[in-house]
Amino acid sequence: MLLDPQAQAIADQFARLPRPDLDTLNAADYRAGLTAFAALAPALDAGIRTEHIALDGPAGPIAARVYQPGGDAPRPLVVFFHGGGFVSCGLDTHDGLCSGLAARTAAIVVSIDYRLAPEHPFPAAVDDAVAALHAVHRNAAALGGDPARIAVAGDSAGGTLATVSARLVRSAGMRLAHQLLLYPVTDSACDTASHREHANAPILDSGLMRWFWRQYLQNADHGRDPRASPLRAADLAAMPPATVITAGVDPLRDEGEAYALALVAADVPVTLRRWPGQFHGFASLIGQLDAADEALAFGAAQLRDALTR
């Protein structure tokens, strides 16, 4: 398990923190423990204006944060879903990443605060993601956006929600321009070679990923549902073109790359890029890791190209 020197320095910081007992850990305590990440949060990009809005959802309003890069309307739109294992994180934790995407794509980014497990187990997050995507499409003009140029993006569990919602809105005739998936969760089985090779990886290890699944799913059978495990979907044809970014030292590496290959097999254009020597979640550490800045620039360029065709 060879990390890039910058990544290793950050991993060493977190290795000094107490390791939770996953047999007794509850979601509230896990969320409280994430405060250590706050010190690494990047600053917002200059020139990006933010506002809070509410979108219609299946269980009430869904909070969202809009990142406006300025310039003439209508602009393309990126609907972003944050990671956190379906259990944690929110609008604040991904402020820097969304601001960075807005600045580098010149697109309006709408970050979605979907419901979290275990209080709201599967499929609540999926239902919110689909509803939010429809709501952004309906309200694109009011946001200053172009309803014909919408992409989805997300990291980790948010990558799951991005690609699942992209698949589920096809029946409504919504055509998305692209999907940017940062080290997505794609299969509840947790049985790939990278899960074994990087079982004790920093930031996200295999045991913690299994804990996330236990919080999210009400029973193991739900893990076979393609809305939870998109790698199990049998109908990936006509999905939007995708950019899939994976991390070399990540239990989720292989399932993310397997999903990219499944899209290719369904004749979906895919750009797959692995960042060696990086742990799960690295792209959020803008300004801390050179690789994060590189991944953000790469992903934004892919989105920008897709949204300006």
Side-chain angles (χ1 to χ4, degrees), residues 247-282:
V249 185
D250 181 0
L252 303 189
R253 182 195 67 206
D254 289 356
E255 65 189 71
E257 294 177 2
Y259 185 65
L261 295 176
L263 289 170
V264 170
D267 293 325
V268 176
V270 175
T271 299
L272 170 62
R273 182 165 173 186
R274 179 194 294 183
W275 254 264
Q278 297 301 320
F279 47 64
H280 187 84
F282 79 94

Side-chain angles (χ1 to χ4, degrees), residues 157-176:
T160 314
L161 297 175
T163 196
V164 167
S165 61
R167 182 170 58 82
L168 294 176
V169 300
R170 290 177 309 175
S171 61
M174 191 186 306
R175 295 179 62 85
L176 299 176

Side-chain angles (χ1 to χ4, degrees), residues 21-40:
D21 181 348
L22 296 179
D23 291 329
T24 59
L25 180 64
N26 61 52
D29 288 342
Y30 177 77
R31 293 166 189 154
L34 291 180
T35 54
F37 283 94
L40 299 175

Side-chain angles (χ1 to χ4, degrees), residues 13-225:
Q13 294 180 42
F14 284 93
R16 291 191 286 270
L17 299 175
R19 181 178 174 81
D21 181 348
L22 296 179
D23 291 329
T24 59
L25 180 64
N26 61 52
D29 288 342
Y30 177 77
R31 293 166 189 154
L34 291 180
T35 54
F37 283 94
L40 299 175
L44 290 179
D45 283 69
I48 300 300
R49 179 172 56 87
T50 63
E51 62 177 315
H52 290 86
I53 62 171
L55 302 171
D56 291 336
I62 302 170
R65 185 175 293 165
V66 181
Y67 299 79
Q68 293 275 6
D72 296 333
R75 288 197 171 276
L77 289 146
V78 177
V79 181
F80 184 88
F81 302 96
H82 67 80
F86 309 103
V87 170
S88 64
C89 298
L91 301 180
D92 291 342
T93 57
H94 286 65
D95 221 14
L97 187 54
C98 290
S99 168
L101 281 174
R104 289 161 179 79
T105 60
I108 299 165
V109 175
V110 185
S111 181
I112 307 302
D113 199 18
Y114 57 87
R115 287 174 290 168
L116 299 176
E119 296 87 348
H120 305 285
F122 172 82
V126 175
D127 293 342
D128 282 359
V130 172
L133 189 49
H134 280 300
V136 170
H137 184 258
R138 285 195 308 272
N139 295 289
L143 293 168
D146 181 353
R149 293 186 293 159
I150 299 178
V152 290
D155 67 318
S156 194
T160 314
L161 297 175
T163 196
V164 167
S165 61
R167 182 170 58 82
L168 294 176
V169 300
R170 290 177 309 175
S171 61
M174 191 186 306
R175 295 179 62 85
L176 299 176
H178 204 73
Q179 47 180 331
L180 171 62
L181 312 178
L182 306 175
Y183 26 81
V185 182
T186 68
D187 194 354
S188 67
C190 299
D191 61 356
T192 61
S194 60
H195 264 282
R196 296 186 291 274
E197 181 182 352
H198 301 302
N200 298 310
I203 311 303
L204 177 73
D205 59 36
S206 189
L208 181 58
M209 189 65 237
R210 289 182 169 87
W211 180 84
F212 283 139
W213 278 116
R214 292 196 295 273
Q215 310 311 302
Y216 184 48
L217 304 179
Q218 296 182 74
N219 61 67
D221 287 343
H222 286 168
R224 292 190 283 272
D225 190 318

